[in-house]
Amino acid sequence: MRELPRGGRRTLVTTIALVIVSFVLMTFDLRASGEGVGGTLRNGAQAMFSPVQGLLGRAIAPVIDVVDGMANLAGLREENALLRAELQEMRTRVARVDELESQVALLQQAQDLELDREDITRVTANVLGGSDPLDLSFSIDRGTADGVLVGNPVIDPGGNVVGVVTDVFEGGARVLPLVAPTEAVGVTVGAQTGVVTGSGNPNRMELEILEATGPLGDGDVVVTGNTTSYPAGLTVGTVVSAASPEAAYLATQVRPLADVTRLRVVIVLGWPLPGEPGVTASTTEGGTSGTHDTTDTTVSGG
């Protein structure tokens, strides 16, 4: 196609512009009969720019949707954080309820515990502080006001030996477990008598029998013997592994049945009974302290 001269192109553009203006003026004139010039101009402008407005609306709509989506996302995050906080609070409450139910069950077990000696008084106490590797002793919330004395034996709700009271105050006491390395007690395993000594390990104690008459089997039950520190027949633990005597001497390990690392409730026994030897006590500035006697035909120790 042959290209128009520059002057011809300008004339063509001018002609097209005049045609458009004439068309617009005709449109305004036709609409002016009932609406006036202002209405006609307004309607004409709307007619001319409505396609542009549509295009702009379609272009801006996704941007508006994105902004709304971001606002909704922020709201959802905040709501999610609130729900998480509420969920954590509910979990804490459930854990607390479970803890209380477990505590009640332990107290009930302690209450229902039957001992061979019905004349032995019992004081149920809550454990206030658990033992640790450096200090296996722990505190309880019962003391002299409840009849607790230094030297009283302590057992768990299952009737297993825990240890003895070493210090006592009006509203609390301190208990030294049998698993502590300074503790020992006379025991019997079947028909044989021996001594169990704490090793400092909450899961192991040492058993020695000086006059062994036979081997011991894995799982044999070890109980307190004829001692003034504990009533006879309380379970101490079980033999860890089978052992046979050598020249009438037998040594093995015992697994304690009372787990001192998880105690929450204990029972303090009113032992020894009045009229029986065993407990001497003296008052100190911090409370009451004393010694407990484990003397029997086999052992003499703390």
Side-chain angles (χ1 to χ4, degrees):
M1 179 182 294
R2 188 174 60 180
E3 188 175 343
L4 292 174
R6 186 172 182 179
R9 288 200 303 271
R10 184 177 302 164
T11 302
L12 178 61
V13 171
T14 301
T15 302
I16 294 173
L18 291 174
V19 171
I20 293 174
V21 170
S22 300
F23 177 77
V24 171
L25 291 176
M26 290 172 62
T27 303
F28 287 168
D29 184 61
L30 290 174
R31 294 184 178 182
S33 58
E35 300 180 1
V37 176
T40 301
L41 290 175
R42 181 175 61 253
N43 293 335
Q46 291 177 350
M48 290 178 63
F49 289 103
S50 59
V52 177
Q53 291 176 345
L55 291 175
L56 289 176
R58 287 192 293 273
I60 294 175
V63 178
I64 296 176
D65 292 340
V66 170
V67 174
D68 290 341
M70 292 177 65
N72 293 334
L73 181 59
L76 289 175
R77 286 177 177 174
E78 182 178 356
E79 184 178 356
N80 188 40
L82 292 175
L83 290 175
R84 286 179 180 274
E86 292 178 359
L87 179 60
Q88 183 60 40
E89 183 180 357
M90 291 301 297
R91 287 176 175 173
T92 302
R93 291 182 180 180
V94 170
R96 179 57 179 165
V97 171
D98 291 342
E99 175 67 19
L100 291 175
E101 289 180 349
S102 177
Q103 194 82 354
V104 169
L106 289 173
L107 292 172
Q108 187 62 49
Q109 183 182 5
Q111 184 69 26
D112 296 340
L113 178 65
E114 296 183 0
L115 299 174
D116 293 338
R117 298 282 297 267
E118 295 182 356
D119 53 349
I120 299 176
T121 60
R122 294 181 284 182
V123 176
T124 303
N126 295 305
V127 175
L128 300 179
S131 58
D132 61 65
L134 299 179
D135 184 10
L136 293 173
S137 62
F138 58 88
S139 298
I140 59 176
D141 63 352
R142 296 289 185 269
T144 54
D146 305 285
V148 176
L149 298 174
V150 168
N152 284 161
V154 179
I155 60 177
D156 69 5
N160 305 304
V161 171
V162 173
V164 294
V165 175
T166 56
D167 296 284
V168 65
F169 306 88
E170 182 178 0
R174 195 75 180 168
V175 177
L176 184 64
L178 185 57
V179 295
T182 58
E183 293 300 283
V185 66
V187 296
T188 62
V189 189
Q192 304 187 70
T193 61
V195 179
V196 163
T197 305
S199 65
N201 183 340
N203 301 313
R204 290 289 186 274
M205 296 184 292
E206 304 296 332
L207 170 64
E208 291 182 298
I209 299 178
L210 300 179
E211 298 179 359
T213 58
L216 297 180
D218 182 11
D220 285 352
V221 179
V222 180
V223 300
T224 53
N226 183 23
T227 171
T228 55
S229 286
Y230 297 91
L234 296 176
T235 51
V236 175
T238 56
V239 174
V240 173
S241 58
S244 297
E246 296 182 2
Y249 174 78
L250 187 150
T252 187
Q253 292 185 326
V254 173
R255 180 183 297 106
L257 290 177
D259 187 352
V260 299
T261 64
R262 295 186 176 183
L263 288 174
R264 288 179 291 175
V265 172
V266 295
I267 304 170
V268 182
L269 301 179
W271 181 268
L273 297 175
E276 297 188 25
V279 175
T280 59
S282 61
T283 302
T284 63
E285 182 178 355
T288 302
S289 62
T291 60
H292 53 283
D293 181 12
T294 59
T295 306
D296 59 22
T297 56
T298 307
V299 59
S300 176

